[in-house]
């Protein structure tokens, strides 16, 4: 995409988003059990005068449906009906649906579930209203992970509360990389050294291991995962894409050094590259499938992969010795780009106080602990200590990896132009990864584009 095509595409995207919302207002959304289709001007009270709250959200990705259960628990205790409107599972379409519905006030939403990267845009656009009271500010100051808290503060106000968070973890083949020989990687260079060592080891020659194609699998397909991996690479080199003052600095020497780690890992090294070609085509699910198929030693992915890998390990228990994969998890050896979702009160909601009370419940200490036990990464530190009655104890290895990665996580740039930011990053870095030159020229070209898009041009 060239810079001059952006305004026209923005107009087309806005028109498509408005049409999508009109269609959603008259058709079933394929909602989860207990959720309902989107309706224009949703009623705010039942026939008996009971209040009705409408929450717009993506699907519940946990196998337990814990988020819907938390909503139902609050609704029952407050004698309030809560209608759950499920939006598209595609992040770009979901954002477009929300923007159009909130701008036109056709959705009748009271609470909206936002990706962490959207909160600044929705706040600056007047689509959500600030949260009131010390119960929110105290939680942010005392218990919420700092990177998650950074995503909801803007211009001295709190615009949302972190519901669940997400962070990168490093999964590895414990059976192929015994700790006594390989240790725990503490840097990108450690991963490269372990990959080279395995390539020269007798284990590489065994029939069961001939499918290993690379040291590390990650997500370099042209979508948001590429933006995440780009930020992490730049941070790994000691640089930044946008500094704390909003200045574009991706063309600095440290930032270029970080981007070079992606290029060198793709192009050079031993007979076993650190990054294989599969990473260029992979998102979260495809990289996980390749890893389970035995095609790499390490995998950078989110916490959801932990349960999937444990299931895969259990299913392979009846395989012959030497063919049973064993998976482990470590903290990501560098700062992870934070993911997750924030809950906000929609602008114009006639039930602001009730909506704030629902958000306080869904993001409280007990709810966050239950979210963690239901498979989500929690936004509160306290959720990783203790457990609910009857809940199983968390795996200490996973718990330690999650806590360490969340401690060092960093938020993506907070800007009302994040959609343009991530598009520019994806376009530029994709060209760089498929080219033959160094990172310097690509970083300079990206910097020029970002200086325009982050100024609203």
């Amino acid at each position: 995409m060239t810079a001059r095509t952006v305004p026209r595409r923005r107009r087309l995207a806005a028109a498509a988003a408005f049409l999508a919302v009109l269609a959603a207002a008259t058709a079933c959304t394929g909602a989860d059990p207990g959720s309902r289709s989107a309706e224009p001007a949703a009623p705010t009270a039942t026939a008996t005068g009971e209040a009705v709250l409408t929450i717009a959200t993506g699907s519940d990705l946990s196998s337990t449906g814990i988020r819907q259960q938390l909503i139902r628990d609050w609704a029952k205790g407050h004698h309030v009906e809560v209608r759950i409107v499920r939006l598209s599972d595609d992040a770009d379409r979901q954002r477009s649906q929300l923007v159009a519905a909130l701008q036109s006030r056709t959705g009748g939403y009271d609470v909206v579930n936002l990706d962490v990267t959207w909160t600044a845009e929705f706040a600056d656009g007047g689509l959500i209203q600030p949260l009131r009271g010390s119960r929110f500010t105290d939680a942010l100051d005392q218990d919420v992970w700092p990177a998650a808290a950074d995503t909801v503060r803007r211009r001295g106000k709190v615009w949302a509360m972190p519901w669940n968070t997400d962070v990168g973890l490093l999964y590895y083949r414990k059976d192929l990389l015994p700790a006594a020989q390989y240790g725990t990687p503490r840097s990108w260079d450690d991963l490269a050294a372990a990959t080279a060592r395995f390539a020269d080891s007798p284990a590489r020659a065994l029939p069961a291991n001939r499918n290993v194609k690379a040291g590390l699998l990650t997500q370099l397909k042209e979508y948001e995962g590429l933006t995440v991996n780009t930020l992490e690479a730049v941070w790994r080199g000691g640089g930044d894409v946008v500094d704390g003052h909003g200045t574009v600095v991706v063309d600095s020497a440290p930032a270029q050094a970080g981007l070079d780690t992606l290029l060198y890992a793709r192009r050079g090294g031993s007979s076993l590259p650190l990054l294989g070609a599969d990473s260029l085509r992979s998102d979260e699910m495809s990289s996980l499938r390749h890893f389970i198929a035995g095609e790499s030693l390490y995998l950078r992915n989110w916490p959801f992969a932990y349960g999937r890998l444990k299931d895969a390990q259990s299913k392979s228990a009846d395989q012959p010795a030497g063919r049973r994969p064993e998976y482990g998890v470590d903290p990501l050896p560098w700062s992870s780009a934070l993911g997750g979702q924030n809950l906000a009160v929609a602008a114009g909601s006639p039930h602001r106080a009730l909506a704030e009370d629902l958000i306080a419940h869904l993001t409280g200490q007990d709810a966050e602990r239950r979210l963690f036990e239901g498979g989500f990464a929690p936004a509160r530190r306290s959720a990783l200590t203790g457990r609910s009655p009857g809940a199983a104890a968390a795996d200490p290895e996973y718990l330690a990896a999650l806590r360490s990665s969340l401690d060092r996580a960093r938020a993506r740039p907070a800007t009302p132009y994040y959609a343009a930011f991530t598009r520019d990053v994806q376009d530029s870095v994709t060209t760089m990864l498929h080219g033959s030159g160094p990172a310097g020229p690509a970083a300079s070209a990206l910097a020029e584009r970002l200086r325009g898009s982050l100024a609203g041009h």
Side-chain angles (χ1 to χ4, degrees):
M1 181 185 299
T2 63
R4 69 183 64 182
T5 64
V6 170
R8 179 174 179 269
R9 293 195 180 185
R10 282 179 181 163
R11 291 195 296 270
L12 291 174
F18 184 70
L19 290 174
V21 170
L22 290 180
T26 58
C28 180
T29 61
D32 290 335
S35 62
R36 305 189 181 188
S37 59
E39 301 173 352
T44 59
T46 65
T48 60
E50 182 181 69
V52 175
L53 288 183
T54 301
I55 180 170
T57 182
S59 64
D60 191 330
L61 299 180
S62 74
S63 60
T64 58
I66 183 60
R67 296 200 295 192
Q68 290 192 28
Q69 185 58 54
L70 289 170
I71 293 170
R72 286 193 292 266
D73 289 348
W74 179 88
K76 183 178 180 181
H78 288 74
H79 305 289
V80 174
E81 181 180 345
V82 178
R83 295 178 178 176
I84 303 171
V85 176
R86 175 177 166 178
L87 303 173
S88 171
D89 287 338
D90 177 80
D92 290 337
R93 181 173 172 80
Q94 185 182 136
R95 172 185 162 276
S96 296
Q97 286 177 333
L98 280 173
V99 169
L102 293 174
Q103 285 178 340
S104 62
R105 305 290 173 90
T106 59
Y109 302 149
D110 297 293
V111 176
V112 288
N113 187 18
L114 305 176
D115 186 274
V116 293
T117 62
W118 303 343
T119 307
E121 175 189 1
F122 280 57
D124 285 13
L127 304 180
I128 56 178
Q129 48 190 318
L131 298 179
R132 304 167 299 181
S134 61
R135 58 181 171 175
F136 298 116
T137 55
D138 289 349
L140 291 172
D141 292 339
Q142 300 168 14
D143 199 13
V144 172
W145 301 99
D150 288 345
T151 68
V152 301
R153 289 189 172 111
R154 190 161 180 83
R155 303 192 309 274
K157 297 180 180 179
V158 174
W159 293 90
M161 277 297 288
W163 195 7
N164 57 273
T165 189
D166 229 350
V167 69
L169 298 173
L170 185 69
Y171 300 95
Y172 67 99
R173 285 287 300 273
K174 189 178 288 189
D175 54 315
L176 301 183
L177 303 168
Q181 298 177 37
Y182 289 89
T184 300
R186 306 293 184 188
S187 67
W188 182 262
D189 289 341
D190 285 351
L191 290 181
T195 299
R197 185 174 180 182
F198 177 82
D200 297 331
S201 72
R204 172 77 189 283
L206 296 177
N209 302 330
R210 289 176 185 167
N211 201 33
V212 177
K213 300 177 182 178
L216 173 70
L217 270 166
T218 191
Q219 301 80 36
L220 300 178
K221 182 179 176 180
E222 193 171 355
Y223 79 116
E224 185 63 23
L226 176 57
T227 301
V228 165
N229 275 268
T230 298
L231 287 166
E232 292 178 359
V234 169
W235 295 338
R236 194 162 57 231
D240 213 336
V241 177
V242 179
D243 67 16
H245 303 289
T247 303
V248 176
V249 291
V250 70
D251 49 352
S252 67
Q256 292 179 38
L259 291 174
D260 275 332
T261 63
L262 293 178
L263 293 181
Y264 295 147
R266 278 277 297 113
R267 299 172 185 167
S270 66
S271 59
L272 188 65
L274 177 53
L275 280 177
D278 284 333
S279 287
L280 296 179
R281 301 182 289 268
S282 289
D283 57 16
E284 286 84 2
M285 291 306 300
S286 57
S287 59
L288 177 59
R289 287 194 298 269
H290 285 300
F291 185 61
I292 291 175
E295 297 179 17
S296 73
L297 302 173
Y298 298 97
L299 169 71
R300 183 251 178 252
N301 217 315
W302 305 96
F304 87 94
Y306 174 78
R308 306 291 179 93
L309 290 172
K310 287 301 180 183
D311 289 343
Q313 184 172 306
S314 298
K315 291 176 182 177
S316 66
D318 58 350
Q319 293 185 8
R323 293 181 177 269
R324 302 172 193 160
E326 186 179 358
Y327 303 109
V329 59
D330 279 328
L332 205 62
W334 48 84
S335 293
S336 168
L338 191 81
Q341 296 170 315
N342 298 331
L343 293 176
V345 178
S349 166
H351 303 302
R352 185 178 185 182
L354 271 178
E356 288 180 336
D357 197 66
L358 173 59
I359 290 174
H361 167 78
L362 294 178
T363 61
Q365 289 184 333
D366 179 66
E368 289 290 321
R369 184 172 293 111
R370 291 173 61 188
L371 279 173
F372 175 54
E373 293 162 354
F376 288 95
R380 286 179 177 259
R381 296 174 182 271
S382 59
L384 300 186
T385 60
R387 62 179 188 266
S388 302
D395 178 354
E397 181 184 54
Y398 172 66
L399 195 63
L402 186 62
R403 180 181 287 113
S404 178
S405 289
L406 283 169
D407 272 336
R408 295 180 290 113
R410 296 177 61 174
R412 282 167 275 180
T415 168
Y417 305 109
Y418 187 82
F421 167 85
T422 190
R423 183 177 56 243
D424 288 347
V425 169
Q426 292 167 35
D427 286 352
S428 299
V429 177
T430 295
T431 299
M432 180 194 78
L433 290 174
H434 289 273
S436 57
S444 297
L446 174 58
E448 183 177 357
R449 288 186 63 168
L450 290 178
R451 289 182 181 116
S453 59
L454 292 181
H457 303 316

